[in-house]
Amino acid sequence: MHFDDKIPIYYQIKTHIYHEIITGTLQPGEKLLSVRQLALDVTANVNTVQRALSEMIAAGMIDSKRGKGNFVTMDETKITDLKTQLITEQVARAYQQLHALNLSDEEILTSLKHYMTQRGNVE
Amino acid sequence: MHFDDKIPIYYQIKTHIYHEIITGTLQPGEKLLSVRQLALDVTANVNTVQRALSEMIAAGMIDSKRGKGNFVTMDETKITDLKTQLITEQVARAYQQLHALNLSDEEILTSLKHYMTQRGNVE
DNA sequence: ACTAGTGTTCTATTTCTCTATTACACTATT
DNA sequence: AATAGTGTAATAGAGAAATAGAACACTAGT
């Protein structure tokens, strides 16, 4: 797993797992890999993985069962809400940063469309 | 100045000053506030400000003149290039993150347009 | 010369993140 | 009962980031 050294690893692990839940790579109720296996997978320490999990457990997105494992919540409403929240945050942040560079709404849309076509032609 | 505690302060200061240069708040050749005054303004330490400046000096975006002050580069090409670079980075990052949430190009555009109209009606 | 205002550098200390290691608590299987 | 596989917690140490404080180098005005 690739890490951005400007952002705490535990936070990036949390984001990564949230993405898996939202995209359905991890289904509601599904068991996660063990903390030790996750640590090996992302090349991080068990404690770092545990810290990421702790925040998700506190948020109710993951149910922890001692001796059994960690499980994605069965509450699909929570998953939907999380997805909506993350999308809104991403869109808002991107917009505000580009707006802060004095780009108009039209210019922002144009830049994004341009990026999409570029990307579309490459792959 | 508001800081995101997930990102180093020196890095956020750097980004902030780059934005001022790009938007023209700081003109080419213009003198910056002194490091001590900047430290007071953003509520950070002189050394932290100096670290941000050092990177911009190394990048050639700021000319440092000992005893006189720090000045925005006169090379407008560098400023244009920086703007292009930052916009590309922001757009790419936003796109990739939303794409990672399984949003199609159309959905990404729709989300952005929706955010813009919401924002437009509020302000 | 003196002084004030610049950028620059250094040391010491604190806080946070991450790691490594160990131990403990619980579950399921044998 | 014993064992292996879970989550959980505590400790100690390394490293980066940030702070505080002091000092040094240079410029300009008096």
Side-chain angles (χ1 to χ4, degrees):
Chain A
M1 181 172 173
H2 167 262
F3 290 120
D4 179 346
D5 65 3
K6 295 281 189 305
I7 302 173
I9 294 175
Y10 79 89
Y11 194 81
Q12 298 181 58
I13 294 172
K14 177 181 169 185
T15 301
H16 181 249
I17 294 177
Y18 270 170
H19 277 214
E20 291 189 323
I21 294 175
I22 288 173
T23 60
T25 303
L26 285 173
Q27 290 287 316
E30 184 174 347
K31 182 180 177 182
L32 275 66
L33 293 179
S34 77
V35 288
R36 290 170 180 82
Q37 187 57 50
L38 274 174
L40 290 177
D41 277 20
V42 303
T43 324
N45 190 269
V46 173
N47 296 316
T48 306
V49 172
Q50 184 65 32
R51 174 162 183 184
L53 290 173
S54 296
E55 294 195 359
M56 296 187 279
I57 293 166
M61 292 302 303
I62 289 182
D63 296 326
S64 170
K65 299 181 183 174
R66 200 184 193 112
K68 291 183 155 185
N70 289 306
F71 302 81
V72 177
T73 179
M74 300 282 279
D75 186 345
E76 306 204 18
T77 302
K78 282 188 177 174
I79 296 176
T80 304
D81 289 351
L82 177 65
K83 177 169 183 173
T84 302
Q85 177 198 329
L86 290 189
I87 290 174
T88 303
E89 283 177 3
Q90 301 290 5
V91 171
R93 195 154 65 88
Y95 176 85
Q96 284 159 13
Q97 286 175 334
L98 290 168
H99 198 66
L101 289 175
N102 266 3
L103 267 68
S104 68
D105 285 9
E106 289 72 21
E107 288 170 325
I108 292 174
L109 282 171
T110 301
S111 297
L112 180 56
K113 287 175 185 170
H114 181 256
Y115 178 82
M116 285 173 171
T117 56
Q118 287 285 349
R119 188 183 164 84
N121 293 336
V122 173
E123 294 181 73
Chain B
M1 181 173 173
H2 166 260
F3 290 119
D4 179 345
D5 65 3
K6 295 281 187 306
I7 303 173
I9 294 176
Y10 81 90
Y11 194 81
Q12 297 181 58
I13 294 173
K14 178 181 169 184
T15 300
H16 181 249
I17 293 177
Y18 270 170
H19 277 215
E20 290 188 322
I21 293 175
I22 287 172
T23 59
T25 302
L26 285 173
Q27 289 287 315
E30 184 175 347
K31 182 180 175 182
L32 275 66
L33 294 179
S34 76
V35 288
R36 289 170 181 82
Q37 187 59 49
L38 275 174
L40 290 176
D41 278 20
V42 303
T43 324
N45 189 269
V46 173
N47 295 314
T48 306
V49 171
Q50 183 67 31
R51 174 162 183 184
L53 290 173
S54 296
E55 293 196 359
M56 295 187 278
I57 292 166
M61 292 302 303
I62 288 183
D63 296 326
S64 169
K65 300 181 183 175
R66 199 185 194 114
K68 291 182 153 184
N70 289 307
F71 301 82
V72 177
T73 180
M74 300 282 279
D75 186 344
E76 306 204 18
T77 301
K78 283 188 178 172
I79 296 175
T80 304
D81 289 350
L82 177 65
K83 177 168 184 173
T84 302
Q85 178 200 329
L86 290 189
I87 290 175
T88 304
E89 284 176 3
Q90 301 289 7
V91 171
R93 196 155 63 87
Y95 176 84
Q96 285 160 12
Q97 286 176 333
L98 290 168
H99 198 66
L101 289 174
N102 265 5
L103 268 65
S104 68
D105 286 10
E106 290 71 21
E107 288 171 325
I108 292 174
L109 281 171
T110 301
S111 297
L112 180 56
K113 287 175 185 170
H114 180 257
Y115 178 82
M116 285 174 170
T117 56
Q118 288 284 349
R119 188 181 165 85
N121 293 335
V122 173
E123 295 180 70

